Amino acid sequence: MDDIKLQKIQNYLNNLFKTEHFVVKKRKNINDSFEIYIKDEFLGLIYEEIDENEKAYQFHMTILDEDLKNE
C-alpha cells in the first residue's frame, strides 16, 4: 500500500471517530498492511484485501486478557 492510501485511511479514521489522534504508519519490509496508532500507542494493523475485484480494509486489534483485568 502506498502513501496516498496511508493518508486516506488516517483521514478516514480521524473523521469517523472525530479526533486527530490516529496515526497510520508503514511497516518495515511489509507492504500488505499499515500500523495504526492513537498518538504513540499501537492499536493494531489494517490489511488490504481484494475479493472478486473489490478492495476492503480489515482492522485487526488484539486485546490481551490481562489488559481487561485493570478495568
Side-chain angles (χ1 to χ4, degrees):
M1 293 194 289
D2 60 23
D3 291 335
I4 294 170
K5 192 70 65 179
L6 179 150
Q7 191 62 50
K8 285 182 177 182
I9 291 171
Q10 182 172 300
N11 291 343
Y12 173 79
L13 290 171
N14 282 313
N15 289 332
L16 180 67
F17 293 103
K18 296 174 179 45
T19 185
E20 294 183 4
H21 299 297
F22 279 99
V23 178
V24 179
K25 298 180 181 180
K26 287 184 174 182
R27 299 177 71 191
K28 292 182 181 178
N29 302 321
I30 300 174
N31 296 323
D32 69 343
S33 57
F34 291 126
E35 296 177 344
I36 307 300
Y37 292 81
I38 288 192
K39 296 183 181 178
D40 292 330
E41 183 158 345
F42 177 75
L43 288 181
L45 299 169
I46 287 193
Y47 292 89
E48 181 178 69
E49 296 186 359
I50 301 173
D51 186 24
E52 296 182 11
N53 293 328
E54 289 189 14
K55 286 185 185 179
Y57 300 90
Q58 298 285 331
F59 177 63
H60 296 265
M61 178 178 167
T62 300
I63 300 172
L64 300 175
D65 188 51
E66 63 188 50
D67 293 334
L68 298 176
K69 293 176 183 175
N70 293 329
E71 295 300 313

